[in-house]
Amino acid sequence: MTTMTCAEATELAGLYVLDALEPAERALVDAHLATCTEAHAEFMEVGGVVPALATLAEPVAAPDSLKAKVMADYRAGAGVAAPQPAPFSRRSVIRPPASVVQAPVPVPGLRPSRPSWLGWAAAAAAVLLLVVTAGWAYTAQSRADAEAHRAQVLAQAINIMSSPRSLSAVMHGAAQADGARGFAAIDRSGVGYLVLVDLPAAPAGQAYQAWYITGNQPTSAGLLSLEDGGFAVLNLSMQGTVDQVALTLEPAGGSAQPTSNPILSGELTAHA
Amino acid sequence: MSGPGNADAADGEHSSGPSDEALLERLAAGADEGALSDLYDRYQAQMYGLAMRITRDPALAQDAVQEAFVGVWRNAARYAVGRSSVRTWMLSIAHHRAIDIVRRRRPADTLPEFETADPALTTPDVWPEVAQILDRAAVTAAMVGLPRAQRDAIQLAYFEGLTQVEIADRTGAPLGTVKSRVRLGLLQMRRALETGEAPS
Ligand SMILES: [Zn+2]
C-alpha cells in the first residue's frame, strides 16, 4: 500500500464525501486523514453540501406494510443496539459549515425566519427550473424568457410573503388536482399572487377557477391559465376579509358561482 | 395554513411531541417501540423518496428504508447531538443503504459500515410545504448553476451510486478530471447556497 500526499487527498475530497471512492482508495484517504497534521478543511467544505442533495428527492409515502417490517426488525433485535458511541470516527473530521447548520433565528412574536443562505430570489428563480424541468438534469434554453418572467413573479410573491401584515396560504390539491401544491400570498392591501405547481391539465371543456371565500361566500378570483409543467400564477386582488383561497373546476369560461367542490384550498393566515 | 397535522408536510416538521433528539435518546437508552414508531412516521416519506430516487424500484427502496431503520436504532447511541440534525443523520443513513443496495446489484464492493452522521442541513420549522419546495429549489438552483459535466458527475455519484472509476467509464473522462469535477462542483454549490445568489 502506498501512501498519499496532502494534495492527493485534497483532490479526492469530493468523491470521498459522496462515498464514491473505491474501497482501497478510501482506505488511503482515511489513513492520510488519521495521521496528517493538516486540518484538511476542504473535506468539511464539500461535506457540508452533501445533506442538501437529499432534499432534491421528492418525499414519497412508503407503503404501510413497511412500518410493520421496521417494527418487527426492532422487536427481533432491539437488544443488540451498539452501546458505545464511537470515540472518534472517520467522518467526525467533516464538520458542517457554520452557515449551513445555522439554525433559524427566532424573532419574538414571529415565526422563525428563513436561514440566510436560502436567498429568496434564488429560490424563486429555482422554483421555475423545478417546475419546467422537474429536476435539475437539464435547462431549457429556449424557455429562458418565460423562465425569467416566472422568476420575477415568484420573487414578488415571495417578497409579499415576507412583508409585514401579509397573508399567506399553503395549498394542496385533491381529487382532479391531486399532487398540485403551492401557495397564495397577499399583501396588506389585498394584492398578491396564487402560485401553483404540478397542476394537471384541466379536463377538456373545463377550466380552473380560483375563489376568495369569506365564511361560506365565494367570490371569483379569476381563471387560471396553465403553463408548461403544470405551473400557474394568478394575480389576486381582494377586498375586505377573506378566509380562504380555493380552486374549483368549472366549465370553460368560468362560472359566477362555483358549480363543483373545491379541489384545492388553503386558509389565509397572517404572517410576519 | 398547513401544519404539523398535514400528513405530507408533517414529515420531519413537528411542533408538538418529543423532539427528534429526545426520541433518539430513548432509542439509545433501550427498547422503546414508541420512539421508533414516531421517528418512522416523521421521516419515512423523505427516506423512502430518497431511496426511490436512487434505486428507482419500490421493492429495493423499501429494503433500503428497512435496513436504514435497523441502522438508526442500532446506532442511536452514536448520534452526536449538534453535529447534524436527526433528519440529516437519518437521511444520510437511508442514502448510504440505498447506494449500497444499488451497488450490490453491480459487480462491486459493498460500502464500509456506516459510522456516523453527515453534516447538517437544518430545515426551519415554518411553512413546511413551502419550505420544502423552496429548500429543494435553492439546492436545485445551486445544482443547475454548475457546468454540465460537474453536475453529471455529482449526480452519478450521489443518486446512482457510481464510484470514481465507474463515473470515468460512464462519462469517458479521465479519473483526474472526475476528481476535480466532483470537488469543484460541490465547492461551487456550497458557495451558491451560502450566498443565496442565483448561480450565473
Ligand atoms: Zn494531509
Side-chain angles (χ1 to χ4, degrees), chain A residues 4-7 9 32-33 36-38 40:
Chain A
M4 185 171 266
T5 66
C6 282
H32 180 89
L33 292 178
C36 183
T37 54
E38 297 296 316
H40 279 292

Side-chain angles (χ1 to χ4, degrees), chain A residues 10 19-20 22 25 51 55-56 60 62 67 73-75 77 82 89 91 97 100 114 117-118 126 136 161 181, chain B residues 32-33 37 41 44-45 66 73-74 103 116 118-120 124 127 133 135-138 155 163-164 183 190 193:
Chain A
T10 296
D19 266 329
E22 273 66 27
E25 199 143 30
T55 65
L56 291 173
V60 178
K67 185 171 184 181
D73 285 344
Y74 187 60
R75 279 176 211 120
S89 64
R91 290 195 199 172
V100 174
R114 305 282 306 159
W117 61 263
L118 181 57
W136 44 266
M161 274 190 181
R181 63 223 155 94
Chain B
D32 190 332
E33 287 190 24
S37 172
D41 291 343
Q44 54 87 16
Q66 188 179 353
W73 56 257
R74 281 219 177 116
R103 285 187 186 164
T116 181
D118 281 329
W127 297 359
I133 293 171
D135 280 348
R136 200 174 307 133
Q155 193 236 357
T163 64
Q164 176 190 15
R183 187 171 64 84
R190 183 190 153 118
L193 290 173

Side-chain angles (χ1 to χ4, degrees), chain A residues 243-264:
Chain A
D243 301 320
Q244 284 187 45
V245 174
L247 200 67
T248 61
L249 270 172
E250 299 297 330
S255 307
Q257 287 290 304
T259 61
S260 62
N261 289 323
I263 50 177
L264 181 142

Side-chain angles (χ1 to χ4, degrees), chain A residues 122-135:
Chain A
V127 164
L128 314 180
L129 291 167
L130 260 193
V131 165
V132 170
T133 67

